[in-house]
Amino acid sequence: MALANALLKSYETCELNGLVDKHNNPTEVVLLPIYHSNIRTDGKNVFEIVLDKQGKLLTGAFLQEGEYCIFPVTEDSVSRSSGAVARPLVDELQYLDPSIDDPKRQGLYEQELKNWLNYQNSGDVNRFLGLIYDLVTKASIRNIVIQLLTKGLAHNYDNKSQILEIITQSNGKTTKEKIGLSKILITFRIKEFDDGKDCSVTDYVPLHESYIEYQQHLQGAKEQSVCNLTGEKTYCSAKHRGMMGNARIIAGGTDDKNLETYFGRFTSRAQVINISYEASSKLHNMIKYLLENRNNSTRMSFKKGVSGADPAVLSIWFSDDVSNDRETSIIQTAALSPLDYDPNEDTVFTINGSDTKNLLLSAIGFNRKIDPNAKVYVMILDKVSNGRISIKYFFELSQNDFYSNLEHWYRTFNWFFYERSTRQFTRQSPDLFRLFDLLYGIEYTSDDGRARTQIPDSKNKYKETLMTRVIPCIIDRKRIPIGMVKRANDNIRMRQKYSKTWESVMSISCAVLNKHRIDTNKVRMEDTLIAFDQQTRSYLYGRVLAVLEYLEKNAMGDSTSVRITNAERFWNNYTASPARTLHLLQNRLQPYIKKLKKDPKQFGNTISKQNIIQDCVNRIAEIENANDINNKPVNEEFIFGYYAQRKQLYTKKTQEQQTVDQSTAI
């Protein structure tokens, strides 16, 4: 009920602010008026017939792809399936001009339109409806559509299949285009109807208002009961519209045919939930708007799963910005900062990358401009079958808390990732798609030859489940799921499993493990890399391995691109049995040490790195002797020691090289 109340309140706020039925351009999503629906055209499914003010036929054509067509619906036709139920004004051709072989649809459309016309017995809306009614009842809409589509070209029409075949000749070649007419939606436009302005069924607002009044008039004569949402006594309906196709959020139907919706503790469907037809139309139109508006909703996977299931959808909207014009997203990548990030500096992380507005300036002024009563709503909908939609998640909180929590997530969940565009490591908080692909994915080589780690498309529903578990961590500061922590811990021990994407997998694992350390107060938020005076055994083992790898790579030179180092080869063994494997690696490193010491330029550097190894080994020996542990597997601190030492080694090497280059230039 919390979600239903939030949707209803949001819609009514839009009504008060004139945001319902507001038209700017044909391709823009409109928050629909109640008792109306819409369809987004694909360029071949909605045909518009154009009349003049006297009702004379002028022209007609398919609406352009991407345009929206809005039309009134009845309680029965809003989510019709196999039954014959007509809409009052805009409907499929099989309703406007039924064939002789389709007696069940004969007269349904004309009767619906006539009833509305009789109610609206005067004024401009009556004249608008009258022109369309006269055309439909006095002419064959089917013949009009065929005439306008063929434009004098040779054609064939099959009355039984209702398929039109248009024949064209070009450069001696014959082309045949087949168009099925029965399912085409027919809408209308009247030229210069209102003070020289064209009016269509889609954008003629007085027409929509008239239909709302007509529906409210009809409902007044029906049985009244108390609505569980509004508390008002009004007409309540058991028929609720479908979303994402024809799937329903609120189960409807009748008591005798839909026992599964109430049977058990209740004796009728109305005892479960009783919602007025008007409230149902408002909250469903609100959901429809959120799903269609790209600023509000994001698919949680890009392809259908192996079963053909549609992707779940994450929606965000604000009490004072229903359309999310501020472009807030909690899935996309955060902004980047340089590799030499200083936690003491006031670094800015943005929400949706560098191309969108910076909304994480709450600490320096943005939040101060927000109404303390302003709310933000987060919802996840998942179409679990063709008939049902699951509300997997809903959360409501103040906007001040939302932005504060969002900022906290980006400042605590981040690490260094390689950016191809800048060719350097930059600090970023990765988007959730990248997070789960790298954490749970399988390494493979794509068609373009690049190595990737990704969750297979057949497991998209699994990815959505993982994402649903993390959403509360972002917006409500919940701890990161322990399952993710265990997976990251496993990944850092299996380097050879990710031979081509190791750097990215390691970085995402570090981000997850570091977030867990912050959540459990094992480390301060500012201490993203542990200082070198850290004395934990696992951390020191990580430092040693980084130096061993560094020395071997220095000795191997360009050949490192051909074969892996001993540190990489024995990585898994090292994490499981560090003491024994360290002894093995030191023996294998001896030839490389000798080679480096023969080079006068490398001699001093090699000695200093050996000193680091010896210092760390001495500390490890003290810890193991004091705690009576020997050859015990390392914990997650190992990867931080490895990363910190490696970062220090290569940062120093780069700086020294830059100094040499500058002196050479001088």
PDB file of all heavy atoms in Angstrom, residues 341-372:
ATOM      1  N   TYR A 341      44.870  10.541  -6.036  1.00  0.00           N
ATOM      2  CA  TYR A 341      43.769  11.043  -5.215  1.00  0.00           C
ATOM      3  C   TYR A 341      44.214  11.243  -3.770  1.00  0.00           C
ATOM      4  O   TYR A 341      44.819  10.367  -3.166  1.00  0.00           O
ATOM      5  CB  TYR A 341      42.617  10.032  -5.286  1.00  0.00           C
ATOM      6  CG  TYR A 341      41.583  10.147  -4.200  1.00  0.00           C
ATOM      7  CD1 TYR A 341      40.631  11.158  -4.233  1.00  0.00           C
ATOM      8  CD2 TYR A 341      41.551   9.225  -3.153  1.00  0.00           C
ATOM      9  CE1 TYR A 341      39.666  11.244  -3.250  1.00  0.00           C
ATOM     10  CE2 TYR A 341      40.592   9.304  -2.168  1.00  0.00           C
ATOM     11  CZ  TYR A 341      39.651  10.317  -2.217  1.00  0.00           C
ATOM     12  OH  TYR A 341      38.700  10.401  -1.244  1.00  0.00           O
ATOM     13  N   ASP A 342      43.911  12.396  -3.251  1.00  0.00           N
ATOM     14  CA  ASP A 342      44.228  12.704  -1.859  1.00  0.00           C
ATOM     15  C   ASP A 342      42.922  12.695  -1.067  1.00  0.00           C
ATOM     16  O   ASP A 342      42.062  13.539  -1.284  1.00  0.00           O
ATOM     17  CB  ASP A 342      44.897  14.078  -1.764  1.00  0.00           C
ATOM     18  CG  ASP A 342      45.295  14.402  -0.326  1.00  0.00           C
ATOM     19  OD1 ASP A 342      44.918  13.634   0.587  1.00  0.00           O
ATOM     20  OD2 ASP A 342      45.973  15.425  -0.122  1.00  0.00           O
ATOM     21  N   PRO A 343      42.728  11.757  -0.150  1.00  0.00           N
ATOM     22  CA  PRO A 343      41.471  11.678   0.584  1.00  0.00           C
ATOM     23  C   PRO A 343      41.180  12.907   1.423  1.00  0.00           C
ATOM     24  O   PRO A 343      40.054  13.127   1.825  1.00  0.00           O
ATOM     25  CB  PRO A 343      41.661  10.423   1.468  1.00  0.00           C
ATOM     26  CG  PRO A 343      43.141  10.247   1.566  1.00  0.00           C
ATOM     27  CD  PRO A 343      43.701  10.739   0.266  1.00  0.00           C
ATOM     28  N   ASN A 344      42.187  13.707   1.691  1.00  0.00           N
ATOM     29  CA  ASN A 344      41.967  14.920   2.484  1.00  0.00           C
ATOM     30  C   ASN A 344      41.433  16.072   1.643  1.00  0.00           C
ATOM     31  O   ASN A 344      40.972  17.079   2.158  1.00  0.00           O
ATOM     32  CB  ASN A 344      43.280  15.345   3.157  1.00  0.00           C
ATOM     33  CG  ASN A 344      43.754  14.300   4.147  1.00  0.00           C
ATOM     34  OD1 ASN A 344      42.958  13.759   4.904  1.00  0.00           O
ATOM     35  ND2 ASN A 344      45.051  14.000   4.126  1.00  0.00           N
ATOM     36  N   GLU A 345      41.531  15.912   0.298  1.00  0.00           N
ATOM     37  CA  GLU A 345      41.016  16.959  -0.574  1.00  0.00           C
ATOM     38  C   GLU A 345      39.516  16.798  -0.746  1.00  0.00           C
ATOM     39  O   GLU A 345      38.949  15.722  -0.568  1.00  0.00           O
ATOM     40  CB  GLU A 345      41.713  16.895  -1.939  1.00  0.00           C
ATOM     41  CG  GLU A 345      43.194  17.228  -1.884  1.00  0.00           C
ATOM     42  CD  GLU A 345      43.842  17.127  -3.264  1.00  0.00           C
ATOM     43  OE1 GLU A 345      43.134  16.771  -4.216  1.00  0.00           O
ATOM     44  OE2 GLU A 345      45.042  17.396  -3.360  1.00  0.00           O
ATOM     45  N   ASP A 346      38.850  17.866  -1.140  1.00  0.00           N
ATOM     46  CA  ASP A 346      37.403  17.838  -1.352  1.00  0.00           C
ATOM     47  C   ASP A 346      37.119  17.349  -2.768  1.00  0.00           C
ATOM     48  O   ASP A 346      36.805  18.114  -3.658  1.00  0.00           O
ATOM     49  CB  ASP A 346      36.811  19.242  -1.144  1.00  0.00           C
ATOM     50  CG  ASP A 346      35.290  19.212  -1.195  1.00  0.00           C
ATOM     51  OD1 ASP A 346      34.726  18.105  -1.086  1.00  0.00           O
ATOM     52  OD2 ASP A 346      34.683  20.282  -1.356  1.00  0.00           O
ATOM     53  N   THR A 347      37.261  16.044  -2.979  1.00  0.00           N
ATOM     54  CA  THR A 347      37.056  15.459  -4.305  1.00  0.00           C
ATOM     55  C   THR A 347      35.571  15.308  -4.579  1.00  0.00           C
ATOM     56  O   THR A 347      34.808  14.907  -3.715  1.00  0.00           O
ATOM     57  CB  THR A 347      37.743  14.085  -4.388  1.00  0.00           C
ATOM     58  OG1 THR A 347      39.109  14.248  -4.032  1.00  0.00           O
ATOM     59  CG2 THR A 347      37.635  13.506  -5.784  1.00  0.00           C
ATOM     60  N   VAL A 348      35.148  15.613  -5.803  1.00  0.00           N
ATOM     61  CA  VAL A 348      33.746  15.536  -6.185  1.00  0.00           C
ATOM     62  C   VAL A 348      33.486  14.268  -6.978  1.00  0.00           C
ATOM     63  O   VAL A 348      34.206  13.954  -7.911  1.00  0.00           O
ATOM     64  CB  VAL A 348      33.336  16.768  -7.032  1.00  0.00           C
ATOM     65  CG1 VAL A 348      31.923  16.609  -7.553  1.00  0.00           C
ATOM     66  CG2 VAL A 348      33.450  18.033  -6.188  1.00  0.00           C
ATOM     67  N   PHE A 349      32.475  13.520  -6.587  1.00  0.00           N
ATOM     68  CA  PHE A 349      32.039  12.347  -7.345  1.00  0.00           C
ATOM     69  C   PHE A 349      30.650  12.654  -7.912  1.00  0.00           C
ATOM     70  O   PHE A 349      29.740  13.009  -7.173  1.00  0.00           O
ATOM     71  CB  PHE A 349      31.939  11.120  -6.436  1.00  0.00           C
ATOM     72  CG  PHE A 349      33.263  10.651  -5.902  1.00  0.00           C
ATOM     73  CD1 PHE A 349      33.811  11.214  -4.759  1.00  0.00           C
ATOM     74  CD2 PHE A 349      33.971   9.669  -6.558  1.00  0.00           C
ATOM     75  CE1 PHE A 349      35.023  10.773  -4.260  1.00  0.00           C
ATOM     76  CE2 PHE A 349      35.192   9.227  -6.064  1.00  0.00           C
ATOM     77  CZ  PHE A 349      35.716   9.779  -4.926  1.00  0.00           C
ATOM     78  N   THR A 350      30.469  12.521  -9.204  1.00  0.00           N
ATOM     79  CA  THR A 350      29.152  12.767  -9.780  1.00  0.00           C
ATOM     80  C   THR A 350      28.404  11.464  -9.948  1.00  0.00           C
ATOM     81  O   THR A 350      28.965  10.392  -9.860  1.00  0.00           O
ATOM     82  CB  THR A 350      29.252  13.482 -11.135  1.00  0.00           C
ATOM     83  OG1 THR A 350      30.049  12.685 -11.999  1.00  0.00           O
ATOM     84  CG2 THR A 350      29.879  14.848 -10.984  1.00  0.00           C
ATOM     85  N   ILE A 351      27.123  11.581 -10.241  1.00  0.00           N
ATOM     86  CA  ILE A 351      26.260  10.412 -10.226  1.00  0.00           C
ATOM     87  C   ILE A 351      26.279   9.641 -11.526  1.00  0.00           C
ATOM     88  O   ILE A 351      26.326   8.435 -11.554  1.00  0.00           O
ATOM     89  CB  ILE A 351      24.820  10.846  -9.902  1.00  0.00           C
ATOM     90  CG1 ILE A 351      24.748  11.231  -8.433  1.00  0.00           C
ATOM     91  CG2 ILE A 351      23.841   9.732 -10.186  1.00  0.00           C
ATOM     92  CD1 ILE A 351      23.417  11.690  -8.009  1.00  0.00           C
ATOM     93  N   ASN A 352      26.265  10.300 -12.621  1.00  0.00           N
ATOM     94  CA  ASN A 352      26.055   9.617 -13.899  1.00  0.00           C
ATOM     95  C   ASN A 352      27.178   9.917 -14.878  1.00  0.00           C
ATOM     96  O   ASN A 352      26.954  10.075 -16.066  1.00  0.00           O
ATOM     97  CB  ASN A 352      24.697  10.037 -14.477  1.00  0.00           C
ATOM     98  CG  ASN A 352      24.237   9.075 -15.538  1.00  0.00           C
ATOM     99  OD1 ASN A 352      24.751   7.973 -15.639  1.00  0.00           O
ATOM    100  ND2 ASN A 352      23.278   9.490 -16.328  1.00  0.00           N
ATOM    101  N   GLY A 353      28.403  10.018 -14.378  1.00  0.00           N
ATOM    102  CA  GLY A 353      29.518  10.291 -15.266  1.00  0.00           C
ATOM    103  C   GLY A 353      29.692  11.772 -15.515  1.00  0.00           C
ATOM    104  O   GLY A 353      28.935  12.617 -15.048  1.00  0.00           O
ATOM    105  N   SER A 354      30.690  12.109 -16.296  1.00  0.00           N
ATOM    106  CA  SER A 354      31.044  13.509 -16.511  1.00  0.00           C
ATOM    107  C   SER A 354      30.084  14.231 -17.437  1.00  0.00           C
ATOM    108  O   SER A 354      30.135  15.448 -17.546  1.00  0.00           O
ATOM    109  CB  SER A 354      32.463  13.587 -17.094  1.00  0.00           C
ATOM    110  OG  SER A 354      32.537  12.850 -18.305  1.00  0.00           O
ATOM    111  N   ASP A 355      29.186  13.507 -18.108  1.00  0.00           N
ATOM    112  CA  ASP A 355      28.299  14.143 -19.064  1.00  0.00           C
ATOM    113  C   ASP A 355      26.989  14.614 -18.452  1.00  0.00           C
ATOM    114  O   ASP A 355      26.143  15.162 -19.124  1.00  0.00           O
ATOM    115  CB  ASP A 355      27.975  13.171 -20.214  1.00  0.00           C
ATOM    116  CG  ASP A 355      29.218  12.826 -21.008  1.00  0.00           C
ATOM    117  OD1 ASP A 355      30.124  13.676 -21.058  1.00  0.00           O
ATOM    118  OD2 ASP A 355      29.276  11.728 -21.559  1.00  0.00           O
ATOM    119  N   THR A 356      26.759  14.364 -17.179  1.00  0.00           N
ATOM    120  CA  THR A 356      25.511  14.767 -16.554  1.00  0.00           C
ATOM    121  C   THR A 356      25.773  15.755 -15.427  1.00  0.00           C
ATOM    122  O   THR A 356      26.900  16.031 -15.053  1.00  0.00           O
ATOM    123  CB  THR A 356      24.764  13.555 -15.990  1.00  0.00           C
ATOM    124  OG1 THR A 356      25.613  12.900 -15.057  1.00  0.00           O
ATOM    125  CG2 THR A 356      24.400  12.581 -17.083  1.00  0.00           C
ATOM    126  N   LYS A 357      24.667  16.249 -14.866  1.00  0.00           N
ATOM    127  CA  LYS A 357      24.781  17.261 -13.833  1.00  0.00           C
ATOM    128  C   LYS A 357      25.347  16.666 -12.542  1.00  0.00           C
ATOM    129  O   LYS A 357      25.052  15.534 -12.185  1.00  0.00           O
ATOM    130  CB  LYS A 357      23.393  17.846 -13.559  1.00  0.00           C
ATOM    131  CG  LYS A 357      22.767  18.432 -14.814  1.00  0.00           C
ATOM    132  CD  LYS A 357      21.303  18.730 -14.589  1.00  0.00           C
ATOM    133  CE  LYS A 357      20.642  19.185 -15.869  1.00  0.00           C
ATOM    134  NZ  LYS A 357      19.207  19.376 -15.732  1.00  0.00           N
ATOM    135  N   ASN A 358      26.132  17.451 -11.844  1.00  0.00           N
ATOM    136  CA  ASN A 358      26.724  16.988 -10.593  1.00  0.00           C
ATOM    137  C   ASN A 358      25.707  17.168  -9.472  1.00  0.00           C
ATOM    138  O   ASN A 358      25.368  18.278  -9.098  1.00  0.00           O
ATOM    139  CB  ASN A 358      27.991  17.800 -10.298  1.00  0.00           C
ATOM    140  CG  ASN A 358      28.695  17.286  -9.061  1.00  0.00           C
ATOM    141  OD1 ASN A 358      28.172  16.449  -8.339  1.00  0.00           O
ATOM    142  ND2 ASN A 358      29.881  17.790  -8.814  1.00  0.00           N
ATOM    143  N   LEU A 359      25.241  16.031  -8.971  1.00  0.00           N
ATOM    144  CA  LEU A 359      24.214  16.094  -7.937  1.00  0.00           C
ATOM    145  C   LEU A 359      24.738  15.662  -6.567  1.00  0.00           C
ATOM    146  O   LEU A 359      23.984  15.523  -5.639  1.00  0.00           O
ATOM    147  CB  LEU A 359      23.035  15.210  -8.339  1.00  0.00           C
ATOM    148  CG  LEU A 359      22.343  15.665  -9.621  1.00  0.00           C
ATOM    149  CD1 LEU A 359      21.230  14.708  -9.963  1.00  0.00           C
ATOM    150  CD2 LEU A 359      21.786  17.054  -9.447  1.00  0.00           C
ATOM    151  N   LEU A 360      26.017  15.450  -6.455  1.00  0.00           N
ATOM    152  CA  LEU A 360      26.558  15.063  -5.164  1.00  0.00           C
ATOM    153  C   LEU A 360      27.282  16.214  -4.472  1.00  0.00           C
ATOM    154  O   LEU A 360      28.251  16.030  -3.765  1.00  0.00           O
ATOM    155  CB  LEU A 360      27.513  13.882  -5.329  1.00  0.00           C
ATOM    156  CG  LEU A 360      26.794  12.555  -5.578  1.00  0.00           C
ATOM    157  CD1 LEU A 360      27.802  11.435  -5.699  1.00  0.00           C
ATOM    158  CD2 LEU A 360      25.846  12.257  -4.439  1.00  0.00           C
ATOM    159  N   LEU A 361      26.789  17.409  -4.732  1.00  0.00           N
ATOM    160  CA  LEU A 361      27.360  18.573  -4.060  1.00  0.00           C
ATOM    161  C   LEU A 361      26.552  18.906  -2.809  1.00  0.00           C
ATOM    162  O   LEU A 361      26.505  20.045  -2.373  1.00  0.00           O
ATOM    163  CB  LEU A 361      27.362  19.775  -5.015  1.00  0.00           C
ATOM    164  CG  LEU A 361      28.293  19.624  -6.226  1.00  0.00           C
ATOM    165  CD1 LEU A 361      28.154  20.845  -7.129  1.00  0.00           C
ATOM    166  CD2 LEU A 361      29.729  19.479  -5.794  1.00  0.00           C
ATOM    167  N   SER A 362      25.892  17.897  -2.257  1.00  0.00           N
ATOM    168  CA  SER A 362      25.027  18.139  -1.104  1.00  0.00           C
ATOM    169  C   SER A 362      25.795  18.761   0.056  1.00  0.00           C
ATOM    170  O   SER A 362      25.278  19.609   0.778  1.00  0.00           O
ATOM    171  CB  SER A 362      24.385  16.832  -0.654  1.00  0.00           C
ATOM    172  OG  SER A 362      25.378  15.871  -0.391  1.00  0.00           O
ATOM    173  N   ALA A 363      27.050  18.354   0.236  1.00  0.00           N
ATOM    174  CA  ALA A 363      27.827  18.846   1.377  1.00  0.00           C
ATOM    175  C   ALA A 363      28.171  20.324   1.255  1.00  0.00           C
ATOM    176  O   ALA A 363      28.463  20.978   2.238  1.00  0.00           O
ATOM    177  CB  ALA A 363      29.108  18.039   1.521  1.00  0.00           C
ATOM    178  N   ILE A 364      28.107  20.863   0.039  1.00  0.00           N
ATOM    179  CA  ILE A 364      28.514  22.264  -0.126  1.00  0.00           C
ATOM    180  C   ILE A 364      27.390  23.119  -0.704  1.00  0.00           C
ATOM    181  O   ILE A 364      27.628  24.082  -1.389  1.00  0.00           O
ATOM    182  CB  ILE A 364      29.754  22.365  -1.029  1.00  0.00           C
ATOM    183  CG1 ILE A 364      29.537  21.663  -2.375  1.00  0.00           C
ATOM    184  CG2 ILE A 364      30.957  21.777  -0.339  1.00  0.00           C
ATOM    185  CD1 ILE A 364      30.692  21.854  -3.337  1.00  0.00           C
ATOM    186  N   GLY A 365      26.152  22.709  -0.478  1.00  0.00           N
ATOM    187  CA  GLY A 365      25.082  23.631  -0.846  1.00  0.00           C
ATOM    188  C   GLY A 365      23.873  23.053  -1.516  1.00  0.00           C
ATOM    189  O   GLY A 365      22.788  23.586  -1.374  1.00  0.00           O
ATOM    190  N   PHE A 366      24.022  21.962  -2.293  1.00  0.00           N
ATOM    191  CA  PHE A 366      22.859  21.463  -3.027  1.00  0.00           C
ATOM    192  C   PHE A 366      21.750  21.040  -2.072  1.00  0.00           C
ATOM    193  O   PHE A 366      20.589  21.357  -2.253  1.00  0.00           O
ATOM    194  CB  PHE A 366      23.259  20.285  -3.922  1.00  0.00           C
ATOM    195  CG  PHE A 366      22.126  19.755  -4.752  1.00  0.00           C
ATOM    196  CD1 PHE A 366      21.817  20.330  -5.967  1.00  0.00           C
ATOM    197  CD2 PHE A 366      21.359  18.692  -4.314  1.00  0.00           C
ATOM    198  CE1 PHE A 366      20.772  19.854  -6.731  1.00  0.00           C
ATOM    199  CE2 PHE A 366      20.312  18.212  -5.066  1.00  0.00           C
ATOM    200  CZ  PHE A 366      20.022  18.798  -6.283  1.00  0.00           C
ATOM    201  N   ASN A 367      22.132  20.305  -1.020  1.00  0.00           N
ATOM    202  CA  ASN A 367      21.136  19.788  -0.092  1.00  0.00           C
ATOM    203  C   ASN A 367      20.419  20.901   0.662  1.00  0.00           C
ATOM    204  O   ASN A 367      19.278  20.737   1.066  1.00  0.00           O
ATOM    205  CB  ASN A 367      21.801  18.845   0.908  1.00  0.00           C
ATOM    206  CG  ASN A 367      21.276  17.429   0.779  1.00  0.00           C
ATOM    207  OD1 ASN A 367      20.466  17.141  -0.084  1.00  0.00           O
ATOM    208  ND2 ASN A 367      21.743  16.552   1.653  1.00  0.00           N
ATOM    209  N   ARG A 368      21.071  22.023   0.821  1.00  0.00           N
ATOM    210  CA  ARG A 368      20.471  23.107   1.594  1.00  0.00           C
ATOM    211  C   ARG A 368      19.284  23.733   0.862  1.00  0.00           C
ATOM    212  O   ARG A 368      18.457  24.401   1.458  1.00  0.00           O
ATOM    213  CB  ARG A 368      21.526  24.177   1.885  1.00  0.00           C
ATOM    214  CG  ARG A 368      22.696  23.644   2.718  1.00  0.00           C
ATOM    215  CD  ARG A 368      23.818  24.658   2.797  1.00  0.00           C
ATOM    216  NE  ARG A 368      25.008  24.072   3.411  1.00  0.00           N
ATOM    217  CZ  ARG A 368      26.199  24.647   3.402  1.00  0.00           C
ATOM    218  NH1 ARG A 368      26.352  25.824   2.822  1.00  0.00           N
ATOM    219  NH2 ARG A 368      27.229  24.063   3.956  1.00  0.00           N
ATOM    220  N   LYS A 369      19.215  23.505  -0.444  1.00  0.00           N
ATOM    221  CA  LYS A 369      18.127  24.077  -1.231  1.00  0.00           C
ATOM    222  C   LYS A 369      16.927  23.139  -1.336  1.00  0.00           C
ATOM    223  O   LYS A 369      15.918  23.464  -1.924  1.00  0.00           O
ATOM    224  CB  LYS A 369      18.631  24.409  -2.636  1.00  0.00           C
ATOM    225  CG  LYS A 369      19.765  25.420  -2.655  1.00  0.00           C
ATOM    226  CD  LYS A 369      20.261  25.659  -4.071  1.00  0.00           C
ATOM    227  CE  LYS A 369      21.433  26.630  -4.085  1.00  0.00           C
ATOM    228  NZ  LYS A 369      21.953  26.841  -5.465  1.00  0.00           N
ATOM    229  N   ILE A 370      17.038  21.939  -0.773  1.00  0.00           N
ATOM    230  CA  ILE A 370      15.974  20.959  -0.865  1.00  0.00           C
ATOM    231  C   ILE A 370      14.977  21.155   0.264  1.00  0.00           C
ATOM    232  O   ILE A 370      15.344  21.331   1.423  1.00  0.00           O
ATOM    233  CB  ILE A 370      16.556  19.529  -0.812  1.00  0.00           C
ATOM    234  CG1 ILE A 370      17.454  19.284  -2.022  1.00  0.00           C
ATOM    235  CG2 ILE A 370      15.456  18.485  -0.775  1.00  0.00           C
ATOM    236  CD1 ILE A 370      18.114  17.934  -2.018  1.00  0.00           C
ATOM    237  N   ASP A 371      13.704  21.091  -0.086  1.00  0.00           N
ATOM    238  CA  ASP A 371      12.635  21.158   0.907  1.00  0.00           C
ATOM    239  C   ASP A 371      12.797  19.979   1.867  1.00  0.00           C
ATOM    240  O   ASP A 371      12.897  18.832   1.433  1.00  0.00           O
ATOM    241  CB  ASP A 371      11.291  21.069   0.185  1.00  0.00           C
ATOM    242  CG  ASP A 371      10.109  21.220   1.131  1.00  0.00           C
ATOM    243  OD1 ASP A 371      10.280  21.036   2.348  1.00  0.00           O
ATOM    244  OD2 ASP A 371       8.992  21.509   0.648  1.00  0.00           O
ATOM    245  N   PRO A 372      12.827  20.219   3.162  1.00  0.00           N
ATOM    246  CA  PRO A 372      13.002  19.105   4.118  1.00  0.00           C
ATOM    247  C   PRO A 372      11.901  18.064   4.028  1.00  0.00           C
ATOM    248  O   PRO A 372      12.079  16.928   4.464  1.00  0.00           O
ATOM    249  CB  PRO A 372      13.027  19.805   5.483  1.00  0.00           C
ATOM    250  CG  PRO A 372      12.411  21.148   5.244  1.00  0.00           C
ATOM    251  CD  PRO A 372      12.744  21.522   3.841  1.00  0.00           C
TER     252      PRO A 372
END
